[in-house]
Amino acid sequence: MTPASPERREQLKAAMLRLSKGDRDALEVVYRLTSVKLFGICLRILGDRKEAEDALQDVYITLWRNAARYDAKRASPIAWLATFARNRAVDRLRTGKVRRGAVPVEAAAELPDGDPSADDLLIDAERTARVHACLETLDEPQRGAIRTAFLEGRTYAELAERNAVPLGTMKSWIRRGLLKLRTCMEGGE
């Protein structure tokens, strides 16, 4: 089975459903099907294996605690988990910066709280879910190109080469996909 095969997607969906009902064995299936991709996301953001491993562990702990919140109508399992991975990695990155620039305890009370409010976090979560839902409405070439460009930071030229299409075609796919994505996003707000 290839990593993106329909069988694996169905296995992952079924495991996520079982996991949302508290099935511990389902977590092992989800881990087996997603850990390589999610580790790659963490490693790409953090640039450090140890930090990426810790972030990945946080992803699965968070998943276990929040599996019941997964809604298959709003995002695919891998998109939802990739968002978890990205958020955990970014959180660790922020924490790492705080450690390097630590201040004495006495000065800590004077520092403003830079964390986003609960309202901001809710709005961000809703927006993220909307983006993933809108991405699912795109044709596969557009969806794949946009995800690869934004999640992996690939250029038009790299994407064109990877997909064996002319550069102009790749630019058109992404441009049209982003226009559709914008229309979908504006329709949901």
Side-chain angles (χ1 to χ4, degrees):
M1 257 187 302
T2 62
S5 71
E7 294 87 9
R8 285 183 75 127
R9 282 194 292 269
E10 288 307 313
Q11 263 188 319
L12 183 55
K13 283 180 186 177
M16 287 293 290
L17 179 63
R18 290 187 3 245
L19 184 61
S20 71
K21 295 177 181 177
D23 183 345
R24 288 182 182 265
D25 295 332
L27 184 59
E28 182 180 341
V29 174
V30 171
Y31 180 85
R32 184 175 34 84
L33 294 172
T34 63
S35 61
V36 172
K37 180 178 182 92
L38 300 182
F39 179 73
I41 292 169
C42 293
L43 184 60
R44 196 169 36 257
I45 292 169
L46 295 165
D48 178 86
R49 271 192 100 66
K50 173 80 173 92
E51 287 293 327
E53 289 168 357
D54 290 347
L56 187 64
Q57 181 178 351
D58 289 347
V59 168
Y60 290 105
I61 290 170
T62 303
L63 173 61
W64 175 249
R65 292 178 181 154
N66 295 298
R69 292 178 49 200
Y70 172 68
D71 182 358
K73 294 176 188 139
R74 296 183 75 172
S76 68
I78 195 64
W80 195 63
L81 292 169
T83 301
F84 267 26
R86 182 197 166 281
N87 292 345
R88 289 297 161 255
V90 169
D91 288 347
R92 289 191 84 71
L93 196 59
R94 288 180 184 148
T95 302
K97 288 180 181 175
V98 170
R99 286 187 195 134
R100 286 191 297 274
V103 296
V105 174
E106 301 79 33
E110 300 169 15
L111 296 175
D113 183 5
D115 288 343
S117 68
D119 290 344
D120 290 338
L121 290 173
L122 180 60
I123 289 168
D124 285 348
E126 289 173 354
R127 187 175 295 129
T128 299
R130 182 75 185 146
V131 167
H132 288 294
C134 286
L135 273 170
E136 291 301 315
T137 67
L138 300 178
D139 296 333
E140 178 50 40
Q142 292 170 333
R143 180 174 52 242
I146 289 171
R147 278 193 172 137
T148 304
F150 288 93
L151 291 178
E152 296 180 18
R154 300 291 179 208
T155 65
Y156 288 126
E158 290 171 326
L159 291 169
E161 184 178 326
R162 180 186 280 187
N163 289 281
V165 297
L167 181 59
T169 299
M170 182 54 61
K171 287 180 178 181
S172 293
W173 285 355
I174 292 176
R175 184 176 54 249
R176 288 185 194 131
L178 289 174
L179 287 171
K180 288 180 183 176
L181 193 59
R182 181 173 58 188
T183 300
C184 179
M185 291 295 293
E186 289 171 353
E189 292 181 354

